[in-house]
């Protein structure tokens, strides 16, 4: 009897692994088939956990959950996001095989670009700075691009591929290229149940990978998990960081948290932040055609903001100090300037008028939003050998 128990305990871990894998992704892995993938890609046979990361308890906050724009017909799965990862890093998604999605969204700086404007397949430049992809799942209205012209992430991911400046590839050619690669039919089968390669599945896989880019392991996340109250001092913060957090959360003139108003630091709707005097870039007006929307833009998450090389939709600011100075004293008047940045009495831009010490402390707080595990997590890195 003891011998049987001992033998069972020896093989128990194997069954647990098989059971847990099947519970998350019921995929039959054929060794010879997987060898075809492994010849080119560094992908584990048991996929990385994209579908159910160990999020802090505060992510169960009703408001944060409400923000999640994941559609019911495209939940994040481990193999779906794995396929999306491969597509995201594949330069053959551009017409001359020189540009991938990752060429303009670098993991080490929070999936933004090092350049003010991104360079396309033929040396041309985009009209706006590449937006951070971190926490893209938590923008409530689910629209994408700075001007929100894409109604869903599934729609957005296909547009750069076809764009005449960015990647320049038509979708029929894209599908033919994917079919011709031995590992893609296998990955599509793992992700969707059969090896059919379609435009819809490409968009769904890319969207799954991007939605899986949840940044939740920063110093801020740890502090909030310890206190469950963003307004109190965090025990893991320095005095300067706590002071900066207080300025961010409750400054009497400009309340930063009023716009970046969730614990994933995404604004609830597009804003005009006075970065331009005239509406030379129409922003979301391009699809709303409402004059009150001229110069309004989507606001990305501030997670990993300190890592970015350029800021704002036009990349016009090149340091976190310049960003703070903008809100401190350099907001430009604009007919559609956000109400939170406008003095009610004279409709002129507000000024925070921070002291040098306060500006330094505010910067120290923003640096606590850096998620070092996120920017080095292998499951978000290139799978190509």
């Amino acid at each position: 009897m003891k011998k049987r128990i001992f033998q069972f305990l020896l093989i128990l871990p194997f069954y647990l692994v098989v059971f847990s894998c099947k519970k998350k992704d019921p995929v039959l892995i054929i060794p010879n088939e997987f060898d075809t993938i492994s010849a080119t890609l560094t992908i584990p046979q048991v996929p990385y956990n994209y579908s159910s990361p160990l999020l802090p308890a505060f992510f169960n906050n009703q408001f944060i959950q409400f923000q999640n724009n994941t559609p019911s017909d495209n939940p994040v799965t481990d193999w779906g996001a794995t396929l999306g990862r491969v597509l995201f890093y594949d330069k053959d998604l551009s017409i001359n095989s020189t540009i991938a999605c990752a060429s303009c969204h670098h993991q080490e700086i929070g999936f933004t670009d090092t350049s003010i404007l991104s360079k396309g397949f033929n040396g041309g430049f985009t009209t706006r700075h590449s937006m951070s992809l971190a926490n893209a799942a938590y923008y409530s209205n689910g629209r994408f691009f700075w001007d929100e012209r894409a109604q869903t992430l599934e729609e957005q991911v296909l547009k750069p591929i076809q764009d005449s400046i960015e990647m320049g590839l038509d979708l029929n050619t894209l599908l033919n290229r994917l079919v011709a690669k031995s590992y893609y039919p296998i990955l599509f089968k793992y992700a969707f149940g059969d090896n059919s390669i379609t435009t819809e599945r490409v968009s769904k896989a890319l969207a799954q990978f991007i939605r899986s880019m949840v940044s939740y392991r920063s110093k801020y996340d740890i502090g909030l998990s310890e206190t469950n109250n963003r307004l109190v001092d965090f025990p893991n913060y320095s005095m300067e960081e706590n002071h900066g957090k207080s300025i961010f959360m409750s400054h009497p003139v400009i309340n930063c948290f009023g716009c970046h108003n969730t614990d994933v630091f995404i604004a609830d709707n597009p804003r005009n932040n006075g970065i331009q005097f005239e509406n030379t870039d129409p922003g979301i007006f391009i699809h709303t055609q409402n004059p009150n929307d001229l110069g309004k833009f989507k606001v990305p998450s501030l997670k990993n903001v300190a890592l970015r090389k350029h800021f704002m939709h036009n990349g016009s600011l090149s340091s976190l100090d310049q960003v703070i100075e903008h809100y401190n004293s350099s907001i430009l008047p604009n007919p559609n300037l956000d109400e939170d940045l406008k003095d009610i009495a004279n409709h002129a831009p507000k000024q925070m008028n921070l002291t040098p010490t306060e500006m330094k402390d505010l910067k120290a707080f923003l640096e606590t939003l850096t998620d070092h595990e996120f920017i080095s997590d292998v499951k978000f890195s290139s799978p190509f050998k």
Side-chain angles (χ1 to χ4, degrees):
M1 182 67 178
K2 289 183 179 180
K3 183 178 180 180
R4 288 182 180 178
I5 293 175
F6 177 73
Q7 290 174 334
F8 173 75
L9 291 175
L10 284 177
I11 64 174
L12 179 60
F14 169 77
Y15 285 108
L16 289 176
V17 169
V18 172
F19 177 78
S20 64
C21 295
K22 289 188 176 183
K23 185 178 181 181
K24 292 170 69 174
D25 282 276
V27 173
L28 177 62
I29 305 296
I30 302 172
N32 290 341
E33 188 178 65
F34 195 80
D35 288 344
T36 301
I37 297 175
S38 301
T40 304
L41 304 171
T42 305
I43 289 176
Q45 190 163 323
V46 177
Y48 293 119
N49 177 14
Y50 295 99
S51 60
S52 53
L54 297 176
L55 299 175
F58 67 81
F59 266 76
N60 294 320
N61 175 287
Q62 187 176 2
F63 187 59
I64 293 182
Q65 289 184 329
F66 170 76
Q67 297 286 103
N68 197 311
N69 57 54
T70 303
S72 59
D73 66 344
N74 193 33
V76 175
T77 66
D78 294 342
W79 278 115
T82 297
L83 170 59
R85 176 190 173 204
V86 178
L87 292 166
F88 187 84
Y89 282 95
D90 192 345
K91 292 184 178 181
D92 281 339
L93 268 64
S94 64
I95 190 168
N96 59 358
S97 301
T98 60
I99 300 293
C101 303
S103 300
C104 304
H105 297 278
H106 303 275
Q107 181 184 8
E108 65 273 15
I109 53 174
F111 290 101
T112 57
D113 202 353
T114 55
S115 302
I116 294 177
L117 303 176
S118 298
K119 183 181 290 187
F121 71 93
N122 200 30
F125 288 92
T126 56
T127 57
R128 299 187 182 114
H129 182 58
S130 290
M131 182 183 292
S132 168
L133 299 180
N135 295 332
Y138 292 95
Y139 189 62
S140 59
N141 72 17
R143 302 190 75 105
F144 285 86
F145 292 114
W146 285 104
D147 58 21
E148 297 197 335
R149 65 188 183 273
Q151 296 186 50
T152 65
L153 181 54
E154 283 74 9
E155 177 186 337
Q156 184 275 329
V157 293
L158 295 178
K159 289 186 179 294
I161 297 172
Q162 303 170 83
D163 188 86
S164 60
I165 293 175
E166 295 185 62
M167 301 171 82
L169 190 66
D170 71 84
L171 295 180
N172 286 330
T173 303
L174 167 64
L175 297 181
N176 290 334
R177 287 187 179 184
L178 299 183
V179 169
K181 294 189 177 187
S182 59
Y183 49 84
Y184 270 122
I186 301 170
L187 288 172
F188 274 84
K189 183 180 74 171
Y190 290 173
F192 296 107
D194 61 65
N195 61 10
S196 176
I197 298 176
T198 67
T199 299
E200 181 184 19
R201 288 181 170 184
V202 170
S203 74
K204 283 187 171 183
L206 279 167
Q208 285 186 43
F209 180 60
I210 292 171
R211 284 199 183 94
S212 76
M213 295 178 182
V214 182
S215 178
Y216 62 93
R217 292 168 288 188
S218 69
K219 194 172 184 177
Y220 174 85
D221 299 309
I222 295 170
L224 184 58
S225 296
E226 291 177 351
T227 62
N228 203 32
N229 185 345
R230 70 176 73 95
L231 299 180
V232 303
D233 283 356
F234 287 177
N236 63 326
Y237 271 23
S238 67
M239 183 174 64
E240 292 78 13
E241 290 165 345
N242 272 315
H243 184 218
K245 179 168 69 71
S246 177
I247 294 170
F248 183 93
M249 296 291 178
S250 54
H251 190 272
V253 178
I254 295 179
N255 178 6
C256 307
F257 195 74
C259 289
H260 301 277
N261 56 4
T262 70
D263 291 309
V264 291
F265 297 94
I266 294 180
D268 54 355
N269 52 52
R271 309 280 181 139
N272 183 311
N273 66 350
I275 199 67
Q276 52 187 12
F277 180 77
E278 296 179 349
N279 297 314
T280 52
D281 187 326
I284 68 168
F285 173 80
I286 195 170
H287 70 85
T288 69
Q289 295 298 299
N290 183 343
N292 294 325
D293 287 336
L294 279 166
K296 290 184 179 179
F297 297 91
K298 179 175 178 173
V299 183
S301 173
L302 292 183
K303 280 298 190 71
N304 305 296
V305 67
L307 300 175
R308 299 175 195 172
K309 304 301 181 183
H310 303 282
F311 304 82
M312 308 302 177
H313 69 276
N314 55 7
S316 58
L317 304 182
S318 57
S319 71
L320 203 52
D321 294 300
Q322 289 183 9
V323 173
I324 294 171
E325 183 56 48
H326 168 72
Y327 291 106
N328 189 53
S329 62
S330 304
I331 299 173
L332 297 174
N334 188 291
N336 293 330
L337 183 64
D338 193 86
E339 294 298 320
D340 288 340
L341 304 178
K342 188 187 301 181
D343 189 285
I344 298 176
N346 58 19
H347 299 286
K350 291 179 180 179
Q351 309 292 339
M352 293 183 79
N353 294 319
L354 299 174
T355 67
T357 297
E358 289 173 325
M359 293 175 70
K360 179 175 68 68
D361 292 351
L362 178 56
K363 180 180 180 181
F365 164 69
L366 292 172
E367 288 172 340
T368 69
L369 304 182
T370 299
D371 183 343
H372 294 283
E373 291 189 63
F374 175 75
I375 63 171
S376 61
D377 195 331
V378 66
K379 73 180 182 182
F380 297 126
S381 66
S382 174
F384 287 94
K385 292 184 177 180

